[in-house]
Amino acid sequence: MKVLVTGFEPFNGETINPSFEAIKMLPDEVEGAKIIKAKLPTVFRKSLCELEELISKENPDIVICVGQAAGRSKISIERVAINIDDAEINDNEGNKPKDEKIFVDGENAYFSNLPIKLMVKTIKEHNIPAEISNSAGTYVCNHVFYGLMYLIDKKFKNLKGGFIHVPFSHNQVLEKKNVPSMSLEDITNGLFYAIKGVLSEK
Amino acid sequence: MKVLVTGFEPFNGETINPSFEAIKMLPDEVEGAKIIKAKLPTVFRKSLCELEELISKENPDIVICVGQAAGRSKISIERVAINIDDAEINDNEGNKPKDEKIFVDGENAYFSNLPIKLMVKTIKEHNIPAEISNSAGTYVCNHVFYGLMYLIDKKFKNLKGGFIHVPFSHNQVLEKKNVPSMSLEDITNGLFYAIKGVLSEK
Amino acid sequence: MKVLVTGFEPFNGETINPSFEAIKMLPDEVEGAKIIKAKLPTVFRKSLCELEELISKENPDIVICVGQAAGRSKISIERVAINIDDAEINDNEGNKPKDEKIFVDGENAYFSNLPIKLMVKTIKEHNIPAEISNSAGTYVCNHVFYGLMYLIDKKFKNLKGGFIHVPFSHNQVLEKKNVPSMSLEDITNGLFYAIKGVLSEK
Amino acid sequence: MKVLVTGFEPFNGETINPSFEAIKMLPDEVEGAKIIKAKLPTVFRKSLCELEELISKENPDIVICVGQAAGRSKISIERVAINIDDAEINDNEGNKPKDEKIFVDGENAYFSNLPIKLMVKTIKEHNIPAEISNSAGTYVCNHVFYGLMYLIDKKFKNLKGGFIHVPFSHNQVLEKKNVPSMSLEDITNGLFYAIKGVLSEK
């Protein structure tokens, strides 16, 4: 069993991205499954090309992409990705698509095929706040989540995939007012138990 | 050097109070100073009687009272206590004072005489979100903070004292929506570095 | 030209639903288009049956369903409805579906076919806060929005339809803490300019 | 009977200040009392000099100062002003005092001597959200509130005075995310009923 876990580069003026900082701290093996870690660029299209290459190369059983969700206070297991790019800020290469379909031959939306409720339950059993989220936004996170599920639908039919949003890490909010955050340890543990939840289903 | 640190009993339907859970985890000595830990009842007047007894018995150099602040996301070092009790919910013995002075011969307000900015700085240097707060409310937390500073003003002139509000701990918000929280480890570390900040001034 | 606008019954302990209070205050004609107003039950399935009957009977050109979104501070024009019922509270007849598809032969999601960006722009030009929302939740609001778009997809091909979430009205939050609200006048005006935005496209 | 009501200049990059926009819309007479309206500079010290001149010139019975509170969703009747200036941003003339007493011979804090609970009640009876606030911050608003109460304590002993914070007006948040606001009409009505509440006590 092999699990590919991806994080993102920092964006929007941040110097770190807690999604990648946290996945780096995950063990290389969980319950006998090998954990492969990778960083994706915070760039429309390019992120998806790299994700597809990684899947082709690593041939994982499960893919979990992780991104930063400014302002949320809990680990969010995303339920659904929608077929739209609608950016309010530039990505890391200056792209800012508005109201564009991600794949013209894709479904309007794809649901995660991971056991999202079980993931939330497993994380919460270890005293880390977690919840289901019904929107991954319309920026690069949703783009990658949608692209992953599109790839599963069209090409990698046996693959399981989903997306997790994590809060800012503490060091990102030290100078911000009233913005929730979580320690990198908690975020890492949240992701660890999310993976355990996924593996316990199989 | 001796530091008295107090937490509170749970109240308002909660089964734990993170202020007391966290102080229990503090070491018994910080930078050579002895740390004395105590739990105060979440009850108007009675809390202050017990605090005064503790101060008389232990003769500390520094008193730091700690309480729970529902909905805050950072460790809050309180700046000022005001001479008013104005409860919106019952305390743990059914008292609910409205617009009453705490001590008729007390000042309108007392400022903490701890180095509050240095405490915030020391906590943040260790990547735990912290801030100055300008209101400890008008419930039992402000009551105890005000009473402490009144006791310092009237009776224990050499004592240093102040108040810290901590967020909900993670386990308190697992079934709550959109309420920030912090792990007990982070809260405990926040309090530890707050104490270090106080001691570094002396 | 005929526009059907629906609001909902109160639910979850509220005594009013601002969606219906506001649509009652809309004029009977906007820019020459006739405005038909109706109240839907806050009940899974039954709400959709009544909506379908209304459409069959009134034969409108445009349908705009409106619902209450607790905690939001702006008029939200919804972008997308997803094929899932997942209730956290009972509806008004005690139903609480968990993770059920709304229509097994429906798309995973449907996008509103109203000019959502133009609606936001028109509302904001009249100084009322408005925004695009990417999730109508998984309760009765999303259920009705999804059902409406399903009906358009399968049966009423020339119909235009969409969903608007409105904040609590002021009178609903007088005894609540830290919950944003809007006056019924502002909500009504927001809906009026949303309709104007839709009509200006045609 | 004469009531002096003051608002502030815009600050911190805003082009309007809802406190002054709203008081301009107040009637010139409420319940037989004359309403005098004035704008104060958002500048430490200078604001207080102008306030003292206004009081000397107009000889009001009641002074209500009004300011903008970014992020609040209700009209806030302030309870208490504290003897400290501690600015996080420059005022409109570049001053940024840190941890300075406002008046060295003043009390640590002054309580409003207006009937604050009655003001909240009267505003809410007209369906406008209102609440008591226990902190006016440590910027120019608290400075003016403290200075007013100091002047009452030291010089204008028969004067009644207090402070009201108002939310952003709708037009200030059109391009901001997740920031509550209120229409200028609602803010003006809130202030009107606050004044009515004060006058009904006499």
Side-chain angles (χ1 to χ4, degrees):
Chain A
M1 183 78 67
K2 201 190 260 190
V3 183
L4 171 63
V5 185
T6 69
F8 281 105
E9 296 171 344
F11 66 100
N12 197 25
E14 298 291 331
T15 54
I16 69 141
N17 190 314
S19 64
F20 186 62
E21 299 304 314
I23 72 170
K24 280 193 295 187
M25 292 162 70
L26 286 170
D28 294 320
E29 204 183 291
V30 176
E31 308 265 323
K34 195 172 172 193
I35 309 296
I36 311 293
K37 306 158 191 180
K39 180 161 65 178
L40 297 179
T42 304
V43 179
F44 288 97
R45 296 293 157 199
K46 195 187 209 178
S47 49
L48 274 183
C49 294
E50 294 195 14
L51 180 64
E52 186 171 358
E53 274 176 45
L54 277 164
I55 296 172
S56 296
K57 180 182 153 213
E58 298 287 354
N59 194 28
D61 303 281
I62 295 159
V63 180
I64 301 176
C65 298
V66 186
Q68 161 193 301
R72 294 195 194 170
S73 63
K74 302 188 175 192
I75 305 280
S76 309
I77 310 299
E78 295 292 346
R79 188 194 297 264
V80 63
I82 59 176
N83 192 5
I84 197 129
D85 286 336
D86 194 18
E88 294 192 357
I89 54 172
N90 285 349
D91 71 12
N92 284 354
E93 292 190 356
N95 306 295
K96 194 178 171 181
K98 301 298 286 182
D99 289 324
E100 294 174 12
K101 274 187 183 295
I102 301 171
F103 288 105
V104 289
D105 66 336
E107 301 286 331
N108 285 340
Y110 291 109
F111 288 95
S112 171
N113 63 3
L114 298 179
I116 60 172
K117 295 277 176 86
L118 181 56
M119 293 162 80
V120 168
K121 182 168 172 283
T122 311
I123 300 170
K124 285 163 68 172
E125 279 168 0
H126 294 87
N127 268 339
I128 296 170
E131 65 192 348
I132 300 293
S133 164
N134 297 308
S135 173
T138 57
Y139 189 61
V140 182
C141 287
N142 175 72
H143 180 86
V144 162
F145 181 16
Y146 183 88
L148 167 63
M149 302 315 297
Y150 173 90
L151 286 170
I152 291 175
D153 185 43
K154 302 293 189 193
K155 191 168 171 185
F156 304 104
K157 298 238 179 233
N158 295 318
L159 193 56
K160 298 257 175 186
F163 196 95
I164 300 177
H165 262 124
V166 299
F168 276 136
S169 61
H170 285 340
N171 59 330
Q172 294 180 281
V173 306
L174 296 178
E175 306 310 322
K176 293 186 178 90
K177 280 181 164 283
N178 296 325
V179 180
S181 59
M182 213 179 241
S183 69
L184 277 176
E185 289 68 23
D186 286 340
I187 295 174
T188 305
N189 283 329
L191 297 177
F192 176 77
Y193 290 113
I195 294 169
K196 276 209 155 186
V198 174
L199 294 170
S200 72
E201 186 200 38
K202 305 224 123 190
Chain B
M1 182 78 67
K2 201 190 261 192
V3 183
L4 170 63
V5 185
T6 70
F8 281 105
E9 295 171 345
F11 66 100
N12 198 24
E14 298 291 331
T15 54
I16 68 139
N17 190 313
S19 65
F20 186 62
E21 299 305 313
I23 71 170
K24 279 194 295 186
M25 293 161 68
L26 286 171
D28 294 320
E29 203 183 292
V30 176
E31 308 264 325
K34 194 172 173 194
I35 309 296
I36 310 294
K37 307 158 190 179
K39 180 161 64 177
L40 297 179
T42 304
V43 178
F44 288 97
R45 295 295 156 197
K46 195 186 207 180
S47 49
L48 275 182
C49 293
E50 294 195 13
L51 180 63
E52 185 170 0
E53 274 176 45
L54 277 164
I55 295 172
S56 296
K57 179 183 153 214
E58 297 287 354
N59 195 26
D61 303 280
I62 295 161
V63 180
I64 301 177
C65 298
V66 185
Q68 161 193 302
R72 296 194 193 171
S73 63
K74 302 189 174 192
I75 305 279
S76 309
I77 311 299
E78 296 293 344
R79 189 197 293 264
V80 63
I82 59 176
N83 192 5
I84 197 131
D85 286 336
D86 194 17
E88 295 191 358
I89 54 172
N90 284 350
D91 70 14
N92 284 355
E93 293 190 354
N95 306 296
K96 195 178 172 181
K98 302 298 286 182
D99 289 324
E100 294 175 12
K101 273 185 184 295
I102 302 171
F103 288 106
V104 289
D105 65 336
E107 301 285 330
N108 286 338
Y110 290 109
F111 288 95
S112 171
N113 63 3
L114 298 179
I116 59 173
K117 295 275 175 89
L118 181 57
M119 293 162 80
V120 168
K121 182 168 172 282
T122 309
I123 300 170
K124 285 164 65 172
E125 279 168 1
H126 294 86
N127 269 338
I128 296 170
E131 65 193 347
I132 299 294
S133 163
N134 297 308
S135 174
T138 57
Y139 191 60
V140 182
C141 287
N142 175 73
H143 179 86
V144 162
F145 180 17
Y146 183 89
L148 167 63
M149 301 315 296
Y150 173 90
L151 286 170
I152 292 175
D153 185 43
K154 302 292 189 194
K155 191 167 168 186
F156 303 104
K157 300 239 177 232
N158 295 319
L159 192 57
K160 299 255 176 189
F163 197 95
I164 300 177
H165 262 123
V166 299
F168 276 136
S169 61
H170 285 340
N171 59 331
Q172 294 180 283
V173 306
L174 295 177
E175 305 312 321
K176 292 187 179 89
K177 282 182 162 283
N178 296 323
V179 180
S181 59
M182 212 179 241
S183 68
L184 276 176
E185 289 68 23
D186 286 341
I187 294 174
T188 306
N189 283 329
L191 297 177
F192 176 78
Y193 291 114
I195 295 169
K196 276 210 155 184
V198 174
L199 294 170
S200 72
E201 186 200 38
K202 306 223 121 190
Chain C
M1 183 76 69
K2 202 189 259 191
V3 184
L4 172 63
V5 185
T6 69
F8 281 105
E9 295 171 343
F11 66 101
N12 197 25
E14 298 291 331
T15 54
I16 69 141
N17 190 314
S19 65
F20 186 62
E21 299 305 313
I23 70 169
K24 279 193 295 186
M25 292 162 69
L26 286 171
D28 294 320
E29 204 184 292
V30 176
E31 308 265 322
K34 195 172 171 194
I35 308 297
I36 311 293
K37 306 159 190 179
K39 179 161 67 178
L40 297 178
T42 304
V43 179
F44 289 98
R45 296 294 157 197
K46 195 186 209 179
S47 49
L48 274 182
C49 294
E50 295 195 12
L51 180 64
E52 186 172 357
E53 275 175 45
L54 277 164
I55 295 172
S56 296
K57 179 182 153 212
E58 297 287 354
N59 195 26
D61 303 280
I62 295 160
V63 179
I64 301 176
C65 299
V66 186
Q68 161 193 302
R72 296 196 192 169
S73 63
K74 302 189 173 191
I75 305 279
S76 308
I77 311 299
E78 294 293 344
R79 188 196 296 264
V80 63
I82 60 175
N83 192 4
I84 198 131
D85 287 335
D86 195 17
E88 294 191 358
I89 54 171
N90 284 350
D91 70 14
N92 284 355
E93 293 190 354
N95 306 295
K96 194 178 171 181
K98 300 299 286 183
D99 289 325
E100 295 175 13
K101 274 187 184 295
I102 301 171
F103 288 106
V104 289
D105 65 335
E107 302 285 330
N108 286 340
Y110 291 110
F111 289 96
S112 172
N113 63 2
L114 298 179
I116 59 172
K117 295 277 176 87
L118 181 56
M119 293 162 81
V120 167
K121 182 168 171 282
T122 309
I123 300 170
K124 285 164 66 173
E125 279 168 1
H126 294 86
N127 269 339
I128 296 170
E131 66 192 347
I132 300 294
S133 164
N134 296 307
S135 173
T138 57
Y139 190 59
V140 182
C141 287
N142 176 72
H143 180 85
V144 162
F145 180 17
Y146 183 88
L148 167 64
M149 302 314 297
Y150 173 89
L151 286 170
I152 292 174
D153 186 43
K154 302 292 188 194
K155 191 168 170 186
F156 304 102
K157 298 238 178 236
N158 295 318
L159 193 56
K160 299 256 175 187
F163 197 96
I164 300 178
H165 262 123
V166 299
F168 275 135
S169 60
H170 285 340
N171 59 329
Q172 293 180 284
V173 306
L174 296 177
E175 305 311 322
K176 293 187 177 89
K177 280 180 164 284
N178 296 325
V179 180
S181 59
M182 212 179 242
S183 68
L184 277 176
E185 289 68 25
D186 285 342
I187 294 174
T188 305
N189 283 328
L191 297 177
F192 176 77
Y193 291 114
I195 295 169
K196 276 210 155 185
V198 175
L199 294 170
S200 72
E201 187 200 36
K202 303 225 123 191
Chain D
M1 181 79 67
K2 201 190 259 190
V3 183
L4 171 64
V5 185
T6 69
F8 280 105
E9 295 172 345
F11 65 100
N12 198 24
E14 298 291 332
T15 54
I16 67 140
N17 190 314
S19 65
F20 186 62
E21 299 304 313
I23 70 169
K24 279 194 295 186
M25 292 163 69
L26 285 171
D28 294 320
E29 204 183 291
V30 176
E31 308 265 321
K34 195 172 172 193
I35 309 297
I36 311 293
K37 306 159 189 178
K39 180 161 66 177
L40 298 178
T42 304
V43 179
F44 288 98
R45 296 294 157 198
K46 195 188 209 178
S47 49
L48 274 182
C49 294
E50 294 195 13
L51 179 64
E52 185 171 358
E53 274 175 46
L54 277 163
I55 295 172
S56 296
K57 180 183 153 214
E58 298 287 353
N59 194 27
D61 303 281
I62 295 160
V63 179
I64 301 176
C65 298
V66 186
Q68 161 193 301
R72 295 195 194 170
S73 63
K74 302 189 174 192
I75 305 279
S76 309
I77 311 299
E78 295 293 345
R79 189 196 295 264
V80 63
I82 59 176
N83 192 5
I84 197 131
D85 287 335
D86 194 17
E88 294 192 359
I89 54 172
N90 285 350
D91 70 14
N92 284 355
E93 292 190 355
N95 306 296
K96 194 178 171 181
K98 301 299 285 183
D99 288 326
E100 294 175 13
K101 273 186 184 295
I102 301 171
F103 288 106
V104 290
D105 65 336
E107 302 285 331
N108 286 339
Y110 291 108
F111 289 95
S112 172
N113 62 4
L114 298 179
I116 59 173
K117 296 276 176 88
L118 180 57
M119 293 162 80
V120 168
K121 182 167 172 283
T122 309
I123 300 171
K124 285 164 66 172
E125 279 169 0
H126 294 86
N127 269 338
I128 296 170
E131 65 192 347
I132 299 294
S133 164
N134 296 308
S135 173
T138 57
Y139 190 60
V140 182
C141 287
N142 175 73
H143 179 86
V144 162
F145 180 18
Y146 184 88
L148 166 64
M149 302 314 297
Y150 174 89
L151 286 171
I152 291 174
D153 186 44
K154 302 292 189 195
K155 192 168 167 185
F156 304 103
K157 299 238 177 231
N158 295 318
L159 192 57
K160 297 255 175 189
F163 196 95
I164 300 177
H165 262 123
V166 299
F168 276 136
S169 61
H170 284 340
N171 60 330
Q172 292 180 284
V173 305
L174 296 177
E175 305 311 321
K176 294 188 178 88
K177 280 180 164 284
N178 295 326
V179 180
S181 58
M182 213 180 241
S183 69
L184 277 176
E185 288 69 24
D186 286 341
I187 295 174
T188 306
N189 283 329
L191 297 177
F192 176 77
Y193 290 114
I195 294 170
K196 275 210 156 185
V198 174
L199 293 171
S200 72
E201 187 201 37
K202 305 222 120 192

